[in-house]
Amino acid sequence: MSPVQPAHTLQTPLRALPTSGAPGTPHSALLHQTPQAHRSDEPGAPGAARSGPAAHYVRPGLLDRAFGKFVGRLARRGVSLMGTAELSVLGRSSGEWRSIPVNPLGFEGGDYLVSARGHSQWVRNMRAAGGGRLTLGRKVRHFTAVELTDAEKPAVLRAYLERWGWEVGRFFDGVTASSTDEELLAAAPRHPVFRITTER
């Protein structure tokens, strides 16, 4: 269960995340099934009463979830598939850790997390918690997170698609690493991006 040069004036950081607990249940965006976008109706969710890019989300299928659990177990044992790690974020309602495999992206001296599927539950939890942790074997990185504005995303999305487009391209509706800046900017509202900073 990876966010033209990105502008360096980011939004105000969210509050710091507590750093204790055990990972929860992972899911993934890795297997190649036909994606179906839907709008989350979870009470209190940012996209619950809206439609369009701000509510865009491609629900993982059963195979996605099963494969995500497998990739998450590998990451906890120190095995990374093409750069994957396990992301854990505190649930905004449950207060419990929720975990998924992700593709962290290093770009222009920064580290980023991109949500290929859109405004997912981990994205909404990240907005509420302000950070999380990345696990690969015994290495655990606790971090704080700042969400990029749409205008800051195109270069990061391009770098993400250059590296993982073969895996996540199906979620970008034809937008690729070779697309224009304008096309990437048009896709930006559907794909949240966070810049993460490891806590010292």
Side-chain angles (χ1 to χ4, degrees):
M1 278 350 103
S2 270
V4 194
Q5 296 246 358
H8 294 290
T9 302
L10 304 179
Q11 296 177 0
T12 302
L14 303 174
R15 68 180 185 274
L17 177 73
T19 56
S20 62
T25 303
H27 67 278
S28 173
L30 301 179
L31 292 183
H32 295 272
Q33 297 179 333
T34 301
Q36 294 182 345
H38 83 294
R39 179 172 58 86
S40 172
D41 292 319
E42 179 178 344
R50 298 195 300 268
S51 60
H56 174 80
Y57 173 55
V58 181
R59 183 190 298 274
L62 292 177
L63 289 178
D64 289 329
R65 293 178 184 274
F67 192 69
K69 291 180 181 180
F70 171 70
V71 173
R73 285 196 297 269
L74 288 179
R76 289 192 296 274
R77 288 164 173 76
V79 179
S80 176
L81 295 181
M82 301 295 291
T84 58
E86 184 175 67
L87 168 68
S88 298
V89 185
L90 282 180
R92 62 197 183 281
S93 298
S94 69
E96 298 178 355
W97 289 94
R98 303 300 184 187
S99 301
I100 60 166
V102 292
N103 296 321
L105 173 69
F107 176 69
E108 295 289 329
D111 293 318
Y112 298 87
L113 293 174
V114 177
S115 180
R117 288 183 177 273
H119 296 260
S120 61
Q121 294 303 313
W122 77 256
V123 167
R124 293 167 180 175
N125 288 336
M126 185 81 77
R127 288 169 178 156
R133 67 189 184 201
L134 289 170
T135 302
L136 185 60
R138 295 183 178 180
K139 182 178 180 181
V140 179
R141 295 173 54 196
H142 296 277
F143 63 84
T144 56
V146 174
E147 187 169 6
L148 271 62
T149 65
D150 291 341
E152 294 169 326
K153 295 178 186 177
V156 180
L157 292 177
R158 188 185 303 282
Y160 180 75
L161 289 168
E162 283 175 351
R163 185 164 183 183
W164 286 292
W166 58 272
E167 175 187 330
V168 301
R170 62 193 171 119
F171 303 121
F172 281 81
D173 297 324
V175 174
T176 70
S178 300
S179 295
T180 65
D181 290 341
E182 289 74 17
E183 290 169 331
L184 288 162
L185 183 60
R190 299 192 297 274
H191 302 285
V193 179
F194 295 87
R195 179 165 181 159
I196 63 175
T197 303
T198 301
E199 295 179 346
R200 300 295 182 183

